[in-house]
Amino acid sequence: CSLSRLNKSGAGLMVEHNAHACTDVTGFGFLGHAQNLAENQKESVSIELNVLPCIKGSVGVNDEVFNFRLRAGYSAETSGGLLVCLP
């Protein structure tokens, strides 16, 4: 099943680079999950985001059909990728 292997490469890289926290970006969007992780860290956190990758056409749907807060970084995703905390 592809779902059982979905994050295998990511998990290996997290171990290799001593990651200490991770979340899958799903129901709260990228910034919702980032905020949750940041609020639960002992030290201060900084995030630099230059580009938020989007599926072709999704920004147009967000702007013209239904605002699901994609541009704000809070759109709900299904299997949206991993947000990893590194030392």
Side-chain angles (χ1 to χ4, degrees):
C1 171
S2 65
L3 289 176
S4 66
R5 296 184 304 267
L6 180 64
N7 294 317
K8 185 176 181 178
S9 296
L13 289 167
M14 288 168 36
V15 170
E16 180 181 335
H17 294 281
N18 299 313
H20 57 90
C22 178
T23 183
D24 62 330
V25 178
T26 53
F28 302 108
F30 179 82
L31 291 181
H33 284 280
Q35 180 179 1
N36 188 25
L37 280 174
E39 289 173 352
N40 289 284
Q41 300 301 306
K42 292 179 182 176
E43 301 294 329
S44 62
V45 175
S46 64
I47 297 173
E48 182 175 328
L49 178 64
N50 296 305
V51 176
L52 182 61
C54 297
I55 296 172
K56 184 178 181 177
S58 61
V59 174
V61 172
N62 181 82
D63 294 348
E64 298 171 23
V65 179
F66 180 76
N67 182 1
F68 51 94
R69 304 188 331 152
L70 176 64
R71 288 185 182 271
Y74 290 98
S75 64
E77 308 293 338
T78 302
S79 189
L82 300 175
L83 179 59
V84 179
C85 296
L86 299 170

